[in-house]
Amino acid sequence: MLLTTPFVTLLAVVGSALATPLLEVPEADVSHLQARVSPTNMVKITSATDYCMIVPKNKHTNIGDSEHPGGMTTYCSNPTDPSQGKFASNFWKKVTLKKAKGKNGKDYIQLTGCINPSTNDRLNSNDGGGQYDSNGGAGGKGNPQGSQCTGYASYVELIEPDANRACIRCCQDKADCPTTKDTQGCPVVIPGSYSGCN
């Protein structure tokens, strides 16, 4: 079959148009954006009454025993997703919110204080506790891996049920969220108010 000249010309024009970019778009700087994270793999601190923390996924589990892929989940004071658990309103028996500038002048926010571990069925009241964070764990990828604090670059969280104590800090600078002091407890990792917890 012979192609007629107008048809060949039309093919040449269409082919040329497809090969030539119509508009050059500069590459966007997205370095400030956080990757989308699962609602069961995140923490947040908005206020002393609006927060999310990582806890063991299974009932009555020691923190250390939950530290494996799939062993942790998110509980919130005000869940925003049906997959998140809900903390009892009296989970914190005494809590202090603090917003400040860290070592290098970047923002952090934290909750420190005394908890009622018996109000959350994921915890064992006699557990010595443990740490969850965004930058520790295997390869520095977090524990749980890939977890994030909403609006911040990193976080560190300790729950110490046997001491009726918990703490969480979200930081713009990971230097303000140390992950290598987990066995030293909340007062060392996140200085704050812990009087009267025992």
Side-chain angles (χ1 to χ4, degrees):
M1 171 174 141
L2 277 174
L3 297 177
T4 61
T5 303
F7 184 70
V8 171
T9 304
L10 178 62
L11 285 177
V13 170
V14 169
S16 174
L18 291 174
T20 306
L22 297 176
L23 177 64
E24 282 193 39
V25 179
E27 192 171 312
D29 176 15
V30 294
S31 60
H32 65 284
L33 299 177
Q34 286 184 316
R36 184 171 294 264
V37 66
S38 164
T40 59
N41 201 29
M42 53 79 64
V43 299
K44 77 171 184 178
I45 305 171
T46 305
S47 71
T49 58
D50 187 18
Y51 58 90
C52 295
M53 297 172 70
I54 299 291
V55 297
K57 186 174 186 175
N58 298 315
K59 292 181 178 183
H60 309 294
T61 302
N62 290 340
I63 303 292
D65 295 338
S66 74
E67 295 177 1
H68 61 85
M72 301 156 272
T73 193
T74 297
Y75 266 57
C76 301
S77 57
N78 302 302
T80 58
D81 188 273
S83 63
Q84 297 171 329
K86 182 171 174 57
F87 280 115
S89 60
N90 63 340
F91 174 71
W92 291 97
K93 60 183 176 182
K94 187 170 82 173
V95 63
T96 301
L97 172 75
K98 178 180 178 182
K99 296 179 184 180
K101 299 283 185 191
K103 298 172 186 171
N104 298 312
K106 294 192 176 181
D107 292 335
Y108 71 81
I109 186 170
Q110 70 183 37
L111 293 176
T112 58
C114 308
I115 61 169
N116 291 304
S118 63
T119 65
N120 188 285
D121 68 356
R122 308 294 149 174
L123 305 176
N124 280 329
S125 294
N126 61 352
D127 176 21
Q131 175 177 297
Y132 300 120
D133 55 67
S134 58
N135 299 321
K141 295 181 180 178
N143 189 26
Q145 192 170 50
S147 60
Q148 296 178 357
C149 180
T150 303
Y152 289 84
S154 62
Y155 81 92
V156 62
E157 169 195 326
L158 283 82
I159 301 177
E160 302 167 319
D162 70 341
N164 299 318
R165 195 166 57 195
C167 54
I168 181 171
R169 179 185 282 178
C170 296
C171 313
Q172 294 298 7
D173 182 349
K174 69 179 183 178
D176 298 318
C177 284
T179 60
T180 59
K181 302 176 183 180
D182 54 324
T183 59
Q184 298 176 47
C186 277
V188 172
V189 178
I190 305 176
S193 299
Y194 302 101
S195 62
C197 290
N198 288 329

